[in-house]
Amino acid sequence: MRAAPNLSSNLSSNVSPNLSYLWLVAVFVFPGLTGHEPWKADEAYVFGVVQHMLQSSDWVVPTLAGEPFMETPPLYYWVATLLSRALSGSLPIHDGARLASGMFMLISCLALGACARI
């Protein structure tokens, strides 16, 4: 009689560790980023800057309530504005902007995973 194949070892050998890590990070990071109103004061001013960039197309200096807002570097605002614009048909502006946090968290976790392999 022939022995049954070990399905658990076949499944685990087919799924790469990179894909498993990416799935785990996505499950950890992305739920909860959308579907709710702004919660913290930080979100309100970030969305204000993003809203100004969307309306004025002035991407050089982040502006909040008509005043230059130089508290943080503009990279986050640029990415949040791009995501808000790209996803404006399916998500509210604040949800699209909030996905920038998830994207930067995903990049950080991928970099951490790459460093762990070295």
Side-chain angles (χ1 to χ4, degrees):
M1 181 185 262
R2 194 171 179 190
N6 186 353
L7 293 178
S8 63
S9 67
N10 288 341
L11 287 176
S12 63
S13 65
N14 289 338
V15 177
S16 76
N18 295 339
L19 186 61
S20 298
Y21 178 71
L22 184 63
W23 182 83
L24 181 65
V25 167
V27 167
F28 174 73
V29 170
F30 287 103
L33 283 179
T34 61
H36 59 83
E37 296 297 319
W39 286 342
K40 300 177 183 179
D42 292 342
E43 288 185 334
Y45 75 75
V46 167
F47 299 145
V49 172
V50 169
Q51 182 74 21
H52 180 266
M53 284 184 174
L54 284 171
Q55 289 176 347
S56 69
S57 297
D58 180 15
W59 293 50
V60 177
V61 177
T63 305
L64 181 63
E67 297 291 323
F69 188 73
M70 305 299 261
E71 186 175 303
T72 57
L75 177 64
Y76 182 85
Y77 302 122
W78 294 338
V79 172
T81 303
L82 287 171
L83 287 171
S84 294
R85 183 176 288 171
L87 300 172
S88 64
S90 58
L91 288 175
I93 291 173
H94 61 272
D95 282 344
R98 200 179 283 125
L99 288 177
S101 295
M103 188 190 82
F104 283 120
M105 183 69 176
L106 185 64
I107 290 169
S108 298
C109 289
L110 290 173
L112 178 66
C115 290
R117 281 189 292 245
I118 293 177

